[in-house]
Amino acid sequence: MGQIEQGLERALRTRPIPSSTEARLRFLLATHRGSTRKVATVLGVSQRTVQRWVTKRSGARRPPGPLQVRAIEEAVLARWQPRVRARRRAQAEAESFVFHTRAQFGFAAPAGSSDDPRVRWITQDLPGEVARELFSARDASAGEQQQTVILARALGHAYFREWGRRAHGLHVAFSDVEFADFSIG
């Protein structure tokens, strides 16, 4: 998962996801009303394996392996705050969102202009159409590169060309993203 997708995920949540594997397993159990069988089905392991992971007896307890830890994390991410996520996504798509980034920006511009790439901190309010495009790309499993192109086009129009008032013909190259955060509402 790239910086942009991680930023989108953070913006859709209002509470942090449980950080420990044990807390994540407790969440999955609570989501499935305590059924170790249903949790096992979701994770693709046996019911007995889940029982070993969550048992209170120290001698019988077995920690999940790295592959299982990743499966647990993905299962929690998929089930964490679904209504809040839907509401925040709809709000971003209907209104706008603020994009915060530190990345390298370069330009393809007419002769006589400075087009050397350099690192910039940018905080810019972007319209809901950009949010719709980003979420559609993410839903279609578009990679980080496609999301970067969407944001470069939007930042070029909003930040560098001031919504079409200056720097006509300037094309923005957006790369080396150090961080990408989104604020909704």
Side-chain angles (χ1 to χ4, degrees):
M1 189 181 308
Q3 292 290 331
I4 295 170
E5 192 165 343
Q6 288 176 1
L8 282 172
E9 286 299 316
R10 282 191 304 270
L12 293 176
R13 294 186 293 238
T14 57
R15 291 187 336 214
I17 292 176
S19 57
S20 71
T21 303
E22 292 80 20
R24 290 175 179 170
L25 282 168
R26 283 194 303 272
F27 170 75
L28 288 174
L29 282 169
T31 302
H32 294 286
R33 298 188 178 120
S35 171
T36 55
R37 177 175 290 148
K38 290 179 183 175
V39 172
T41 303
V42 166
L43 298 176
V45 296
S46 70
Q47 180 179 4
R48 183 68 188 122
T49 300
V50 174
Q51 290 170 343
R52 283 188 195 111
W53 291 342
V54 299
T55 187
K56 301 287 186 211
R57 296 183 314 166
S58 61
R61 185 173 216 146
R62 300 283 186 265
L67 291 176
Q68 289 85 15
V69 168
R70 182 71 188 140
I72 292 166
E73 180 183 8
E74 289 174 2
V76 170
L77 282 172
R79 289 162 180 77
W80 189 254
Q81 294 185 314
R83 289 180 295 204
V84 170
R85 293 167 50 84
R87 185 176 67 240
R88 289 180 65 87
R89 177 178 173 163
Q91 181 183 5
E93 290 176 349
E95 298 168 10
S96 66
F97 67 96
V98 178
F99 179 57
H100 314 276
T101 190
R102 179 175 174 167
Q104 189 159 0
F105 290 89
F107 310 99
S113 65
S114 171
D115 61 353
D116 292 336
R118 63 178 185 251
V119 175
R120 293 178 187 246
W121 290 83
I122 294 181
T123 297
Q124 180 65 44
D125 188 34
L126 295 174
E129 295 86 39
V130 176
R132 271 192 296 281
E133 201 173 344
L134 276 173
F135 285 121
S136 295
R138 188 190 68 168
D139 294 345
S141 300
E144 185 85 359
Q145 182 62 34
Q146 179 63 30
Q147 294 170 340
T148 302
V149 168
I150 293 166
L151 286 170
R153 189 173 51 239
L155 286 172
H157 183 68
Y159 183 82
F160 294 103
R161 291 190 298 272
E162 290 183 3
W163 303 102
R165 289 191 291 267
R166 66 180 185 93
H168 302 288
L170 179 74
H171 298 283
V172 176
F174 177 41
S175 62
D176 298 335
V177 178
E178 290 180 22
F179 74 90
D181 277 330
F182 299 83
S183 300
I184 300 171

